[in-house]
Amino acid sequence: MPELPEIEIVKRSLLEMILRAKIIHVKIKNKKLRYKVPNFFSKQLKNQKILKIERRSKYLIFHLNKYLLLAHLGMTGKFLIIRSKDSKLYKTSFYYNLNILTKHNHIYFKLNNGLILVYNDVRKFGFFKLIKKNKLNKIIFLKKLGLEPLSNKFNTKYFLNFVEKRKKNIKNLLMDQKFVSGLGNIYVNESLFMSKIHPLRVCNSLKKKEINRLINKIKKILKISISKGGSSIRDFKNTSGQTGSFQQFFKVYGRENEDCSRISCNNRIKKIFISNRSSFYCPKCQK
Ligand SMILES: [Zn+2]
């Protein structure tokens, strides 16, 4: 599932390729996404210019002349770009390769800059919503979201206020979208490892020093993974291959039974399930 850094990378790629382009035609191959693509979708998008692209949590918001187009990539959604003149395919994120089956291309947005924006989604859990422009604050999907992890408001004070009387474990707290939005399982695992905090610690038992460290590590990890994607963004106008491998930077996620990556530690990484999500941690380093 794409996590926050990937969506941020997709946003930056799209900004580079399609900002200020006008949608001249929308072809819908398959309406059955997580929510059905409405009948008037193509008509309303025609002649709309892409004025701004924003990310909120794992949502992308395209600001058009009259509308806001909200997009969520679900489990396997991807934006691709096709250059009309030679059908050359470009990806918008280094996370996936280009062995993409066109049968999973569901929507084609033809643009006036010679490019076609394509929405591809194997499992079809992604979706689009078209909303009137002055209704941004009323978008139900965005309303329930907690703070952005990279915003300044996501800080120790906020954490302390939020957890005051809460007894849930820190892993579940960080996964709670009402607390902080867009932090997925991988980044929660990595941040807890980097902060030396056991995933099952009761959240209001954390000391101020630990909270400071945790928040700093969360921001740092997200920024690093966004910047790793940045290098492929620079390439992406002239290449069309390279698969990214941010995975190689994971210190704990997916490393069950491997040696802890801290040189001073000789323990092995354990895997447990917390609320049905796999959690990896070092029993020696994380307390
Ligand atoms: Zn360790």
Side-chain angles (χ1 to χ4, degrees):
M1 187 192 289
E3 302 228 16
L4 187 150
E6 175 168 15
I7 309 294
E8 179 65 26
I9 290 162
V10 170
K11 183 197 83 180
R12 292 180 189 188
S13 303
L14 291 176
L15 282 173
E16 208 174 292
M17 302 286 276
I18 65 167
L19 187 67
R20 286 182 286 277
K22 195 199 266 182
I23 300 168
I24 48 180
H25 182 70
V26 180
K27 188 164 77 182
I28 302 167
K29 287 275 191 185
N30 181 5
K31 288 187 173 182
K32 289 182 190 154
L33 299 179
R34 184 160 130 207
Y35 303 115
K36 197 177 166 228
V37 179
N39 293 327
F40 48 78
F41 196 73
S42 307
K43 207 174 161 191
Q44 288 181 311
L45 285 174
K46 197 177 171 183
N47 291 324
Q48 293 288 306
K49 202 170 169 183
I50 299 163
L51 303 171
K52 186 173 153 188
I53 306 170
E54 265 187 307
R55 179 192 59 76
R56 175 79 176 91
S57 183
K58 296 194 216 171
Y59 294 90
L60 287 169
I61 309 164
F62 296 81
H63 291 247
L64 310 171
N65 303 86
K66 280 191 184 167
Y67 302 99
L68 299 166
L69 178 64
L70 183 73
H72 193 282
L73 303 181
M75 304 284 285
T76 52
K78 295 170 183 69
F79 278 117
L80 308 165
I81 305 273
I82 298 174
R83 190 163 64 189
S84 302
K85 65 170 183 188
D86 54 3
S87 301
K88 192 173 159 88
L89 190 62
Y90 300 87
K91 54 187 181 171
T92 57
S93 163
F94 71 99
Y95 281 80
Y96 48 83
N97 59 36
L98 281 174
N99 301 323
I100 280 158
L101 293 174
T102 48
K103 70 171 180 182
H104 301 302
N105 287 351
H106 304 307
I107 306 180
Y108 294 81
F109 303 83
K110 192 169 189 219
L111 306 171
N112 71 342
N113 62 354
L115 300 175
I116 303 166
L117 173 68
V118 180
Y119 182 68
N120 177 294
D121 193 343
V122 176
R123 297 185 61 185
K124 301 192 281 262
F125 285 118
F127 66 89
F128 290 90
K129 290 272 176 192
L130 202 55
I131 300 131
K132 288 237 173 74
K133 207 158 180 186
N134 53 3
K135 297 272 163 68
L136 180 63
N137 297 327
K138 299 211 163 64
I139 301 175
I140 199 120
F141 302 97
L142 306 182
K143 258 173 125 174
K144 55 187 180 190
L145 294 175
L147 292 180
E148 281 288 314
L150 289 171
S151 81
N152 291 334
K153 288 181 187 163
F154 181 61
N155 56 33
T156 305
K157 195 178 155 201
Y158 169 75
F159 189 106
L160 285 167
N161 283 336
F162 195 94
V163 302
E164 205 185 353
K165 292 192 175 91
R166 285 172 215 248
K167 297 257 182 256
K168 65 161 81 172
N169 63 59
I170 184 67
K171 168 89 197 289
N172 280 340
L173 178 79
L174 296 176
M175 295 295 290
D176 180 352
Q177 300 300 300
K178 291 188 210 93
F179 172 63
V180 60
S181 63
L183 210 58
N185 198 31
I186 292 171
Y187 295 93
V188 169
N189 273 284
E190 293 296 309
S191 318
L192 288 171
F193 176 79
M194 299 295 281
S195 322
K196 302 184 177 179
I197 297 169
H198 194 291
L200 288 172
R201 272 281 291 282
V202 175
C203 63
N204 69 1
S205 77
L206 262 64
K207 296 184 184 73
K208 204 171 171 185
K209 208 172 97 186
E210 291 175 304
I211 299 168
N212 277 332
R213 194 165 60 205
L214 176 60
I215 288 176
N216 288 336
K217 294 295 182 193
I218 288 172
K219 292 177 195 268
K220 194 175 164 192
I221 289 164
L222 291 173
K223 282 181 189 161
I224 290 173
S225 75
I226 292 168
S227 72
K228 297 285 176 207
S231 58
S232 63
I233 292 175
R234 276 197 292 278
D235 289 344
F236 104 112
K237 274 187 176 154
N238 41 37
T239 103
S240 52
Q242 286 178 359
T243 321
S245 52
F246 183 66
Q247 283 90 330
Q248 74 194 64
F249 302 101
F250 294 162
K251 292 200 170 358
V252 71
Y253 186 83
R255 294 191 179 273
E256 187 187 13
N257 287 329
E258 288 181 32
D259 290 339
C260 172
S261 61
R262 280 197 179 84
I263 299 164
S264 57
C265 177
N266 51 11
N267 242 78
R268 294 212 167 158
I269 301 301
K270 272 188 96 168
K271 179 184 178 180
I272 52 169
F273 284 90
I274 301 175
S275 299
N276 293 321
R277 305 294 301 265
S278 47
S279 299
F280 302 88
Y281 70 102
C282 171
K284 193 176 167 193
C285 298
Q286 290 174 258
K287 300 289 180 200

